[in-house]
Every structure is written in C-alpha cells, then in structure tokens.
Amino acid sequence: MPHAPISQLPIPQMNIYPKDYSLLTDLYQLTMAACYAGDRLERKKASFELFVRRLPAGFGYLVAMGLAQALEYLQELRFSSEQIAALKATEIFANAPEEFWSLLEERFSGSVWAVTEGTVVFPNEPLLRVEAPLWQAQLVETYLLCTINYQTLIATRGARLREAAGPEAMVLEFGSRRAFGPQASLWAARAALAGGLNATSNVLAALKLGRKPAGTMAHALVMALAATQGSEMQAFTAFHRYFPGSPLLIDTYDTLAAARQLAERVEVGEIELAGVRLDSGDLAALSREVRSLLPEVPIFASGDLDEWEIAKLRSAAACIDGYGVGTRLVTGAPVNGVYKLVEIDGIPVMKESKGKPSYPGRKQIFRHWQSGAIAADRLGLATEDPQADEVPLLQLVLEAGKPVHPEPTLEEISSRVRENVAALPRETRQLENPIPLTVEISSELQALAEKTKKVSE
C-alpha cells in the first residue's frame, strides 16, 4: 500500500513527549544507521564520547549537567510503527536495506559511563561515553548534545552567579520567557537550581522539582490597578490584600517617590514589606537611596543581570540583598560540546581535522585531590589504573539499557556543585581572565594517539 505524501499527513502540535524521542534527531543519524545496516556494521560495538574542545570565552570551568534527562531519553527511546511508516513516507529511505527497519523496532541496549551531575570538568574530558551497537550509539547523538550542552551551560552560569552574588544573597531564575523554547525553560530552571540558585519563577519546573516557585509582580499590574483605582499605592494595597507581605515592584513610575510613600506607611504600621524590587535605572545608586528610606526592607534587583553585572554592583557598594536573573542566564555563548566516535569493534579511532582533533580510545578522567582541593586532572585510557590520591570520575550509570543506581537528588547535585567549585583554584573561578586547570594527557593515551595517527596515514 502506498504511503501518504508528507503534505497530507496530519500536523501535530509542536510539543515534545517521550513517544517522540525517536524522531527527535538529525536526519543524518538515521541515514548513517541505514548505511551501517547495509554494510553489516550496525551491531559492531562502538564507543562515542561527549566532550568540549574549548570553554566558552571568559569561563574557567564547566559544571556537568543534563545526565538525568539523557538517561531518561535512552530508556524511553523506541520507534513506533506509525513513526516508521512516517519515515518511509518521506521516500528518503527508498534504497535503505530492509534490516534498517527491523533495527528501528529495537530498544536501546547499550551502556553509559558518565561523570556525576554537578562535577566540574575541563576541555577534552568526556562528560559521558556511550558504548552500544554502532547504529544505536550514532542515533542518540543529537538529543544527548542538546540536553547536556544546554544544561551544562546553565549550571555553570548558575555556579558563577552564586559566587558573584555571595552565599547569603537570594538569587532567582527568571529566564523562562527568554529560554530557547518551553522545553529549554524547564531544563534551564533545573540546571540553575542545581548550579546554586535559590528558586525559579517557572511554576511547572518548580512543582516538578518539588520546589516552591518564587517571584514578585510585573509593571502591568501596577499600571492596570493604578489606572483603574487611582494611584500606585492603591495598586500595592490591592496586591497585598491577596498576597500580604509580598515584595513590591517600585520602579514603574518614580522609584524614590514610591519608596518614600512606602516608608511612611511602614512607619505607621499600615503595611508590612517582605521586600522591594528594582528593575531599571542606576541600580547601585537607587538601592542605596531606597535603603536609606527603607532600612529594614530587603532590596531585590533584576534587569539583564549576569555574574559580571552583579560583581560590579557589589563593588559599587550597592545595597542589594537578592537578584533575579533571566535573559543572560538562559542565553549567551553556548557550550559547544561534541560527540565523537573513539572506538569501533575494539579498534581505536580519532579525528585529525585541523583545529578539531580528538583523542582515540575509551578514556577515563583521573582527578587528583589534595587537602580538599582539586589539584590536577589526568586524562587517560579507561584501562589504566588510578595513581595515588586519584579518583576516576567516569562511572557506569546505564548498563544494557537499564540504570545501575538511583539518580541523585537535586539537593545532592547542588551540594556537589558547591563542593567542586569551592575546591577549584581561585584563578580558575575568577570572572576576569580565568585560568582553566591544565589537564595532563597520560603517556598511554599519548602513545595510542601517535599509533592511531600512523595507522591512518
């Protein structure tokens, strides 16, 4: 029976559900899988590693994140008969071998080695390794890079924001409206909380993570109520009628005039304030003036803030107790992780492209701790033994498609982030011109790289 042309297929809503995971990939992953099947390579055992070649500009480290979603994806991955029919309808695979379609009916059966979420990593260090039949290990590249690259970026920014703001400041994630799509907003909230932020304004993310969402109000409420009820103060009164004591946004019209009026009402006991928020203007100067008017009231700041802006505010003696971060947290320079084949059928392989080389073979990160600090990292082969005071970071987390142990909680991941970042040298954590930890390449790995180069010549 002929398949319906693509133009006649029903158009679904552009939302993502676990049943869609199989098709959430780049076309070339499927065409390569078909090629492997045609050349009888599809079941050769392959190892792919996900790593970054270089850090984003201005970063001295990365915080590994997104593994939980990666593992959930691998366990849910399967092609339905309807999805296989849809692929056939494209006619792209008209010459694909019949074995290809049989493969798509299988579930992921490979294993994954990974660093635990919340661990700091450096260039060329694998965040994870997939060991699976070649077609499976190839197919999963797109989704793994998507979730791990993005969440690693957000978790790292979260850790940097926490350090810039200081341990006592309240730092909230406000990035949902700027994230790269609804799914990204959930990932961003999770990674930001793991990285060290206190709460998120994303209600769905917060409730899924067992947290309480946090936020204040928008200028629209102040303008709407002021226009219909007479004044900004009446807008504040109305809001507090339903949310008593909640922080108030005071920069809709005249920030200092609003602070003075609130100070008068606080002084006579007409209102209780849990805080005020400033979202525009000279935040350092305004915060000092507001503090003089409302000395006991916490001051919260927002408005295109990032770790560098927060550091500037603190150095300018701003009187700010908490920060809301959004756009610059969930966007910005990406983590450019890559996913490369390092071994096929027991044969080590490597990419030698100029500027984009990779090391061959299955690898392990050996971390050397000294007096509670991260002293050095050594990248070696998975078959090597750790030296004295070294800890191997890559652990088996998925075996034959099944999880090896329970996932850590968000609180455990956040605690690991704090411990790992605190253990880094100061020059690696600094915002200006950070110096990443030098990763030593083991002699065994260097020798394998030279041998593999000679074989490929």
Side-chain angles (χ1 to χ4, degrees):
M1 179 182 294
H3 299 290
I6 297 175
S7 60
Q8 295 179 15
L9 294 175
I11 301 176
Q13 294 181 338
M14 295 298 287
N15 296 317
I16 303 169
Y17 304 98
K19 64 183 178 63
D20 302 317
Y21 285 163
S22 57
L23 296 178
L24 189 59
T25 188
D26 289 305
L27 175 62
Y28 73 1
Q29 313 293 7
L30 290 165
T31 56
M32 284 189 285
C35 184
Y36 296 149
D39 278 26
R40 302 292 188 269
L41 295 173
E42 74 278 10
R43 298 198 185 279
K44 296 289 187 182
K45 184 177 179 181
S47 297
F48 283 75
E49 292 180 346
L50 192 158
F51 61 96
V52 299
R53 292 192 179 95
R54 60 190 64 86
L55 300 174
F59 283 38
Y61 63 90
L62 291 176
V63 174
M65 196 63 57
L67 178 62
Q69 285 64 51
L71 297 182
E72 186 260 347
Y73 157 76
L74 293 174
Q75 293 171 76
E76 294 284 345
L77 181 62
R78 66 181 66 88
F79 285 82
S80 67
S81 57
E82 292 81 8
Q83 290 168 332
I84 292 175
L87 287 174
K88 289 180 177 179
T90 67
E91 300 183 356
I92 294 171
F93 300 90
N95 296 323
E98 195 59 33
E99 293 85 354
F100 170 64
W101 304 111
S102 300
L103 289 177
L104 298 188
E105 296 175 353
E106 300 178 9
R107 301 188 65 162
F108 181 80
S109 60
S111 298
V112 175
W113 291 72
V115 300
T116 307
E117 287 190 288
T119 303
V120 297
V121 292
F122 302 95
N124 295 313
E125 295 184 337
L127 281 72
L128 65 75
R129 179 174 66 251
V130 174
E131 299 177 355
L134 177 57
W135 79 272
Q136 292 184 0
Q138 183 73 71
L139 179 69
V140 301
E141 173 184 9
T142 301
Y143 196 96
L144 296 184
L145 285 172
C146 180
T147 182
I148 291 176
N149 279 346
Y150 189 61
Q151 289 201 57
T152 295
L153 169 66
I154 306 305
T156 308
R157 296 297 298 269
R160 288 159 56 89
L161 283 160
R162 168 51 63 198
E163 186 156 28
E168 304 303 323
M170 177 72 68
V171 187
L172 305 182
E173 188 272 316
F174 284 175
S176 295
R177 66 188 64 192
R178 302 286 190 265
F180 300 134
Q183 178 64 76
S185 76
L186 300 183
W187 285 350
R190 175 183 185 270
L193 295 179
L197 273 61
N198 298 93
T200 176
S201 64
N202 187 310
V203 177
L204 177 60
L207 297 182
K208 279 182 172 290
L209 295 169
R211 300 291 189 91
K212 184 183 293 187
T216 55
M217 57 164 62
H219 295 104
L221 182 137
V222 178
M223 291 187 289
L225 271 64
T228 57
Q229 298 189 16
S231 72
E232 184 179 33
M233 283 302 113
Q234 287 174 302
F236 293 157
T237 299
F239 188 69
H240 267 188
R241 184 178 304 127
Y242 306 106
F243 303 98
S246 294
L248 300 174
L249 179 61
I250 64 172
D251 72 332
T252 304
Y253 304 114
D254 185 326
T255 302
L256 296 182
R260 291 188 191 97
Q261 292 184 62
L262 287 172
E264 293 171 0
R265 299 183 67 182
V266 168
E267 187 174 358
V268 298
E270 290 183 7
I271 190 172
E272 292 185 9
L273 275 178
V276 294
R277 177 160 72 99
L278 310 176
D279 189 59
S280 59
D282 185 335
L283 295 177
L286 282 174
S287 69
R288 289 192 293 269
E289 294 190 73
V290 171
R291 175 55 48 82
S292 69
L293 296 167
L294 296 165
E296 305 299 324
V297 177
I299 299 172
F300 195 77
S302 59
D304 291 330
L305 299 180
D306 59 18
E307 56 266 47
W308 289 282
E309 291 299 321
I310 290 174
K312 288 178 184 177
L313 287 170
R314 295 188 70 190
S315 66
C319 298
I320 296 174
D321 305 288
Y323 305 87
V325 290
T327 302
R328 297 187 185 181
L329 168 63
V330 302
T331 62
V335 168
N336 193 21
V338 295
Y339 183 81
K340 297 301 176 185
L341 179 67
V342 296
E343 186 177 282
I344 175 68
D345 200 25
I347 304 169
V349 296
M350 64 184 294
K351 182 177 178 180
E352 298 182 48
S353 303
K354 186 176 181 180
K356 293 185 176 182
S358 62
Y359 286 102
R362 295 176 298 115
K363 292 175 281 297
Q364 177 61 272
I365 307 167
F366 299 99
R367 177 152 292 171
H368 177 64
W369 289 81
Q370 188 172 30
S371 302
I374 299 174
D377 275 6
R378 182 172 64 91
L379 185 63
L381 295 172
T383 53
E384 295 182 43
D385 293 323
Q387 298 175 357
D389 298 322
E390 282 186 340
V391 178
L393 297 187
L394 288 159
Q395 304 293 326
L396 182 63
V397 294
L398 196 74
E399 186 172 25
K402 303 294 182 182
V404 174
H405 47 69
E407 296 174 4
T409 65
L410 191 61
E411 288 71 21
E412 290 170 336
I413 297 171
S414 183
S415 176
R416 184 175 297 109
V417 174
R418 289 194 302 272
E419 293 170 359
N420 271 244
V421 173
L424 290 172
R426 181 172 296 278
E427 59 268 21
T428 300
R429 305 195 322 261
Q430 64 193 17
L431 295 181
E432 300 301 327
N433 302 312
I435 302 173
L437 208 68
T438 299
V439 179
E440 176 191 350
I441 306 301
S442 76
S443 57
E444 289 89 344
L445 179 54
Q446 288 176 332
L448 181 62
E450 290 301 317
K451 180 180 178 181
T452 304
K453 282 182 183 179
K454 291 177 182 178
V455 169
S456 65
E457 290 175 352

